[in-house]
Amino acid sequence: MSTLADVAQSVVKGQMDKVKEHVQNLIDAGNAPLDIINNGLIEGMNVVGVHFKAGDMFVPEVLKSAKVMAAGVELVKPLIDDSEEQSKGVIVLGTVKGDLHDIGKNLVNMMMTSSGFKVIDIGIDMPPEKFADAIREHKPQILAMSALLTSTVYAMDDTIKYITTEGLRDRVKVIIGGAPITQEFAESIGADGFAPDAASAVDLCKELV
Amino acid sequence: METKFKVEVLSKEDCVRIHEASLKILKETGVIFHGEQALEIFRKHGAEVDGKVVKFSQKIVEESIRKCPSKFKLTARDKQRSVTVGEGLLIHPPGGEIFVSDLDNGRRKGTLKDFANLQKLFQACDDIDIAGYQPISPEDVDTDFRGLYCTYESIKHTNKPMLSPMQLDNTQQMRESLELMEISFGGKGFFKDNYCTWQAVCPNSPLTYSDYACDGIIEYAKWNQPVLIVPAPMAGITSPAQIMGTIILQNAELLAGIVLAQLVNPGIPVIASASTTFANLKLATWECACPETALLVVAITQMNRDFYHLPARVQTGITSSKLVNYQAGYETMQSLLLSALAGAQLTSQSVGSMENLISVSYEKLIIDTEIVSRIRRILQGIDTSEEAFSIDLIQELGHKADYLWHDSTLELCRAGWQPTMADWNSYDNWHRDGSVDIMVTANKKVKEILANAPDKIIDEQLEKDLTSYIKMVEKNR
Ligand code: B1M
């Protein structure tokens, strides 16, 4: 017999075979698919998050856990009808125009995804128009921008202004981050929030949606 | 002066293996170049170009390396201060830092005044050989003109050799900065016959040159100015977690850049550099301060200097510390001493940089010059001449401890190295003098230098020429 705790445990330990086995057992035993996801797989990632914040897990281990969780979700997904399938929210994420730094953004993506958000990563060097297009197409609750250069942080301002003139500003909360960003700067350009690291970015998103 | 002793982490065979592995990657996997102009140049010279991927033959790579001089003169406005890059150890300023700090005002965003102040410090500190660059980003200047204003302030406050600012966002800005600098050297055409500056070009690891990086190589090579190539992979994130794999990857990136530079301007000096780090995989961050990074820096110096005979620059003497404290001190010394002992000929970020290149401290900058000075002394090694053996003296004095009174000591008593920052006093004397911390000593020194620095070291005419050039640029934008 497998339990939800077993599923969570396999996610924490990054055990691919085990997670599949436990999830399958639970499905066969008639557990509710959403229960397996929320109280097994995501619960496991929550524990991973705690370990990561405490410095007990390394990023590649977190990534492995995230992969394991995703494999578990894949097994359960066919059993959920679309109306039921719910993510915590949709986030459009990208590095702003002129900026090629993407490691921080990718980390933010990983942490958001493994906390149950659906992340649309539009990539690096993204002009305001591309962010606007992505809002129209994916209807996110949150627009998340990353920048690492003192010259490109202003592209965040440009993007916010652009989506405002396009009438899209009210549809999303805007969060920003990256080494040069401060809370003060975030406020000055009218962003809804700033996070200094990937884990706080997730907390921020949870607050905002 | 070259050191008589050396630190090595690679054997000769290892170097050959790294070279061969790099050639294999260059030939089979190739390197992406996003710049259309670069791709055109490669096509014209018969390199295999498939989309944006360029593949290199052993021949073109090795021919290109052979064309690179192993040293060259970097001309300063004050000719006395010109230096030979590729000989001895040269120190240049930090670059790209986002925040600035000092004891009085704490950590904050930088201004053009900070930029100018830092240039004044570079000018005043004998242990810093090269000035300019971009130790802080001036937030009070419009981003379009930041590079230009940085260039102007550097010219205004130093006559040492001068590096181009980091944030020249496109070829137009590069050109403007170069033109402004050329004015300071006496006008158009000076750069054709003199090497005076360079800009840092970073490939986007793994194995990719952005449009912007291509422009950096092509523009500077066209101006007949040296090309600096700085691969910056983070082991485990943008290159293999194996140190050796990371060395090979960054080496392949370097070689690809060298080929481009030599195709644009055969014989142009290329400074081989690395800001390669062993990532902190706990957080997936670029980490300058791990011992593995220090080892990487030694290995890369061996490859660049001893194997390829290229001027070898490394990013070294850096710290993750948020404060100027014990950690900052030992992390700075760890890699700087090792790379100096490996024979690094040029170092960047070794004076003042903190927090993995995120901030620069006025006080640390001054304290670090003492580290440099200590290392320079260590590099001199010891005098092993017959005279230095002092056998006569040992026999003359026999068992008497009278060396302090002896003329031979009198003669040499000022020859020993002395600190300018460290406190070598006894506890009682230190306490009597106010129990001063090194930060306070450094802060005082900073203020003294700034108080004594002239408002500008250029004459009225040059200032007029420079400002009218800047006005012209601003008007035409
Ligand atoms: C939406 O919500 C959020 C919330 C939180 C968010 C967020 C979004 N985004 C990030 N966060 C936050 O969460 C993450 C962790 O939890 C954190 O993300 P980070 O991205 O900060 O952290 C990453 C996990 C690890 N950190 C990194 O990946 C960045 C490390 C440093 C060393 C760095 C690197 C590696 C690179 N660089 Co660049 N680079 C530097 C960086 C200095 C530093 N220590 O940060 C910095 C940012 N670079 C700089 C420079 C100068 C440059 N770089 C350039 C290029 C590169 C490389 C290609 C070599 C490489 C990038 C590789 C890549 N794929 O991203 C050039 C610019 C290219 C361009 N147009 O973008 C170039 C101009 C260098 C050159 N001459 O070519 C400096 C800034 C200059 C300035 N004043 O603006 C710099 C501080 C280093 C320096 N001192 O020179 C948080 O900031």
Side-chain angles (χ1 to χ4, degrees), chain B residues 47-179:
Chain B
E48 188 187 331
V49 180
D50 181 7
K52 291 187 166 184
V53 180
V54 182
K55 295 187 175 161
F56 300 85
S57 66
Q58 175 168 357
K59 187 162 161 271
I60 198 169
V61 173
E62 293 182 345
E63 271 175 16
S64 302
I65 298 168
R66 273 197 295 277
K67 285 183 192 142
C68 300
S70 57
K71 55 182 173 183
F72 64 92
K73 187 167 129 193
L74 186 68
T75 303
R77 274 210 332 282
D78 174 358
K79 302 288 176 294
Q80 303 288 327
R81 293 180 176 231
S82 299
V83 294
T84 303
V85 177
E87 222 175 60
L89 173 68
L90 299 171
I91 305 287
H92 79 58
E97 279 66 10
I98 294 169
F99 298 93
V100 62
S101 70
D102 64 52
L103 205 52
D104 306 304
N105 304 302
R107 183 182 188 268
R108 59 192 193 277
K109 284 276 169 89
T111 60
L112 197 60
K113 178 146 188 257
D114 287 309
F115 184 94
N117 282 342
L118 292 166
Q119 295 302 329
K120 291 176 185 172
L121 298 184
F122 301 147
Q123 172 75 357
C125 292
D126 290 339
D127 275 303
I128 300 173
D129 308 282
I130 298 173
Y133 213 30
Q134 194 177 318
I136 186 67
S137 178
E139 287 301 299
D140 49 349
V141 180
D142 187 292
T143 48
D144 265 0
F145 305 111
R146 263 183 209 171
L148 201 57
Y149 275 89
C150 289
T151 309
Y152 171 63
E153 291 295 328
S154 299
I155 297 169
K156 208 164 141 188
H157 300 296
T158 102
N159 52 17
K160 291 184 177 180
M162 193 180 301
L163 304 188
S164 302
M166 270 203 150
Q167 279 174 291
L168 299 172
D169 295 337
N170 48 51
T171 35
Q172 189 183 346
Q173 290 182 18
M174 291 175 201
R175 231 167 275 155
E176 290 161 358
S177 170
L178 284 162
E179 279 172 5

Side-chain angles (χ1 to χ4, degrees), chain A residues 52 55 57-60 100 103 107 148-151 154 179-180 182, chain B residues 98 109 137 139 143 146 167 204 210 234 237-238 281-284 358:
Chain A
F52 175 64
M57 274 180 92
F58 283 54
V59 170
L100 307 174
I103 309 301
L107 273 186
L148 266 278
L149 297 172
T150 48
S151 49
Y154 301 101
T182 56
Chain B
I98 294 169
K109 284 276 169 89
S137 178
E139 287 301 299
T143 48
R146 263 183 209 171
Q167 279 174 291
N204 212 338
S210 64
M234 301 175 255
I237 304 181
T238 52
L281 291 175
K282 213 175 217 185
L283 297 170
I358 297 288

Side-chain angles (χ1 to χ4, degrees), chain A residues 11 41-42 45 64-74 113-114:
Chain A
V11 170
L41 296 163
I42 291 189
M45 274 320 282
K64 178 74 205 242
S65 290
K67 264 190 221 163
V68 167
M69 179 195 81
V73 172
E74 279 311 303
T113 305
S114 53

